[in-house]
Amino acid sequence: MKKKIDNLYSKLANEEDARVCKAIDESACKVVPGNFFLTIISYFFSKLADAVANTKVILPWIMQSIGAPLYLISFLVPIKESGSLLPQLFIAAYIRKLPIRKWIWSLGSLLQALCMFGIAIVAWNMQGLSAGLAIIALLVGMSLARGLCSVAAKDVLGKTIPKTRRGALNGLSAMLAGLLVVVLGVYFLLNGEKPFSSQNFSILLSIAGLFWIFAAIVYAFIKEFDGETDGGGNAFSVAISKLGILKTDKPFRLFVITRALFLCSVLSAPFFVIIAQQNSESNSYLLGLFILSSGLADLLSANFWGKFSDISSKKVMIIGATIATSVGFVVVFIDFFYDELFSIIWIMPIIYFILSIGYQGIRIGRKTYIVDLAQGNKRTDYVAVSNTLIGFILLLSGLIGTLSSLIGVSGIILLLSIIGVIAIYLANKLPEVQED
């Protein structure tokens, strides 16, 4: 069995370089094939659960169907993203004390499952304001649990998978998850104009919870060897002291600034959906088309971006951002000169598909970049500091929606696209991290 796994790994990872394991421990190198597939499987279930519980499409649809206030729906994306990022400096200080960190990831995954089961119960039994508040509270818990996974994942990946194989792993797992999301999108299309009740959504979210449980179990089987534990210390003092990295480490500082500006791609996505909803009455088909677009984008591009990231994660971020930014300018152009095109139901899902391909490149590229930029315990510091700062920026960026009354939805997309151009310029100044 081990021989078959080794052979399959060699084919998937194009294993030819005898020195490919130079960045990880010799003991870890011997079990790379097994760890590679265990990580892919666990990431697959985790990414699939995330896709099913999508805060850009699925959860807003549920909140609307149960009569939750509109202002609560606007908190979904910021809470999910910033809630998982903000606590990470403090979480990282604790994780540094642990020689084995895979259990932190499994714990975070199990907690996400429990929160998702809670949201499913709310969707089945509750209505109105109380239901909306309950979902928001559970989403906060889920986001905090996601933060555990985020810090631990980067560190475990850096200890168990060679430097030039990490992008391929992220890309392959995202591609496989995208395949099942495509199936989900097709289901919604076949459902057509038939109502999809909150009870149906409850069952869907329960399935997402099961996916997180599967992910936690599989991840626990990864063979992780003891890592560095120096510098554990008090969580608060360690968190504050590590912010100094931004002052002393120029490449890391430039990466954080660039990553912050790259948020323009994910922030623009909901506004694409809003334009589509404002110009279409076919909500059921529209939901299916957007889910299908997102799944197809992951399926068709993730593996490519992953392998490309192992060659140059910097170029992947730049190309992905160029795609996402260009699409934003296209939408603004259509809105100003040919807005009647938006009434064609499949126009915006196609544009959203292209945007998702670009965002996938940014996401996989920056994940691979930050892991390869750092070595040893520095990796945990990099991930925690950058994610915490991005969390604060995300909370502030949520205010951009208030500009809609002044410049309109297309004006917001134009503003975000201009920010994307600045991000691309700065990304070109980043050093290459895959050259050595």
Side-chain angles (χ1 to χ4, degrees):
M1 183 65 178
K2 185 179 183 303
K3 188 175 181 180
K4 291 182 179 179
I5 292 176
D6 290 348
N7 289 337
L8 183 57
Y9 169 74
S10 296
K11 293 178 181 178
L12 287 175
N14 193 24
E15 193 70 66
E16 294 176 355
D17 186 359
R19 300 177 67 246
V20 73
C21 279
K22 61 183 178 181
I24 66 173
D25 185 81
E26 184 179 347
S27 300
C29 187
K30 296 177 181 179
V31 292
V32 164
N35 283 340
F36 185 85
F37 288 108
L38 287 171
T39 306
I40 280 182
I41 294 170
S42 56
Y43 279 15
F44 162 72
F45 282 119
S46 177
K47 291 176 187 294
L48 187 58
D50 262 330
V52 173
N54 191 320
T55 53
K56 299 183 188 73
V57 181
I58 298 292
L59 289 185
W61 229 277
I62 294 173
M63 297 263 291
Q64 189 173 16
S65 69
I66 60 178
L70 183 62
Y71 68 87
L72 287 180
I73 298 176
S74 68
F75 282 106
L76 290 173
V77 172
I79 285 177
K80 182 183 178 183
E81 299 299 330
S82 63
S84 67
L85 297 178
L86 286 174
Q88 289 193 22
L89 272 178
F90 305 98
I91 295 173
Y94 169 74
I95 290 176
R96 291 185 65 174
K97 300 177 183 178
L98 305 175
I100 301 295
R101 297 158 189 177
K102 66 178 182 179
W103 304 113
I104 297 296
W105 195 96
S106 291
L107 173 63
S109 191
L110 289 174
L111 291 174
Q112 287 184 85
L114 290 176
C115 291
M116 189 50 56
F117 288 141
I119 294 176
I121 292 172
V122 170
W124 188 285
N125 296 291
M126 299 175 67
Q127 291 284 324
L129 176 62
S130 59
L133 291 173
I135 289 177
I136 291 295
L138 288 164
L139 188 61
V140 169
M142 192 176 80
S143 298
L144 295 175
R146 194 163 171 249
L148 290 173
C149 293
S150 182
V151 174
K154 305 294 189 308
D155 206 46
V156 174
L157 185 67
K159 290 166 60 181
T160 59
I161 304 298
K163 191 172 183 178
T164 58
R165 302 295 179 259
R166 297 163 188 164
L169 185 149
N170 279 317
L172 188 57
S173 58
M175 182 191 73
L176 293 173
L179 179 61
L180 287 190
V181 175
V182 168
V183 174
L184 178 64
V186 171
Y187 169 76
F188 275 102
L189 287 178
L190 294 177
N191 191 61
E193 297 295 337
K194 297 177 182 177
F196 200 78
S197 68
S198 56
Q199 286 75 24
N200 294 135
F201 276 119
S202 180
I203 294 172
L204 192 65
L205 295 181
S206 296
I207 293 173
L210 290 175
F211 287 151
W212 266 307
I213 292 177
F214 294 154
I217 293 172
V218 173
Y219 203 83
F221 283 96
I222 290 175
K223 293 181 180 178
E224 179 191 0
F225 295 89
D226 289 359
E228 300 175 27
T229 58
D230 61 297
N234 175 268
F236 181 76
S237 61
V238 170
I240 297 301
S241 66
K242 293 308 173 186
L243 289 174
I245 297 175
L246 291 169
K247 183 178 180 180
T248 59
D249 195 326
K250 183 178 178 180
F252 176 63
R253 181 173 66 247
L254 181 59
F255 168 78
V256 172
I257 295 172
T258 305
R259 181 186 172 186
L261 296 177
F262 276 152
L263 288 174
C264 63
S265 61
V266 68
L267 291 174
S268 65
F271 296 106
F272 282 46
V273 177
I274 289 173
I275 286 180
Q277 288 176 324
Q278 290 176 343
N279 291 275
S280 175
E281 298 178 356
S282 185
N283 289 334
S284 297
Y285 281 116
L286 192 62
L287 174 60
L289 286 171
F290 272 104
I291 293 174
L292 186 62
S293 296
S294 178
L296 279 175
D298 291 349
L299 177 64
L300 298 177
S301 70
N303 195 38
F304 167 78
W305 289 131
K307 291 184 177 180
F308 193 180
S309 290
D310 287 330
I311 300 173
S312 175
S313 52
K314 169 186 171 179
K315 290 179 181 177
V316 166
M317 288 189 290
I318 292 171
I319 295 172
T322 301
I323 293 172
T325 300
S326 299
V327 166
F329 286 122
V330 168
V331 169
V332 173
F333 179 81
I334 293 175
D335 188 51
F336 273 97
F337 299 103
Y338 303 99
D339 63 332
E340 64 273 8
L341 290 177
F342 289 141
S343 62
I344 303 174
I345 193 171
W346 47 264
I347 289 292
M348 284 308 295
I350 288 178
I351 294 176
Y352 188 86
F353 166 75
I354 301 172
L355 174 73
S356 298
I357 287 178
Y359 173 65
Q360 190 67 251
I362 296 172
R363 186 169 177 270
I364 291 177
R366 57 98 172 160
K367 281 188 174 185
T368 306
Y369 189 92
I370 194 171
V371 173
D372 288 351
L373 181 65
Q375 297 291 333
N377 248 0
K378 207 174 183 181
R379 183 178 297 114
T380 305
D381 297 336
Y382 274 14
V383 172
V385 171
S386 63
N387 283 353
T388 300
L389 290 173
I390 295 300
F392 280 113
I393 293 170
L394 268 168
L395 283 180
L396 294 174
S397 66
L399 297 174
I400 198 169
T402 61
L403 297 175
S404 60
S405 60
L406 298 175
I407 61 177
V409 175
S410 62
I412 292 175
I413 294 175
L414 176 60
L415 175 61
L416 292 171
S417 298
I418 293 172
I419 293 174
V421 172
I422 299 172
I424 294 167
Y425 171 77
L426 292 178
N428 275 286
K429 296 180 176 294
L430 288 169
E432 288 282 359
V433 293
Q434 276 81 32
E435 290 181 344
D436 59 346

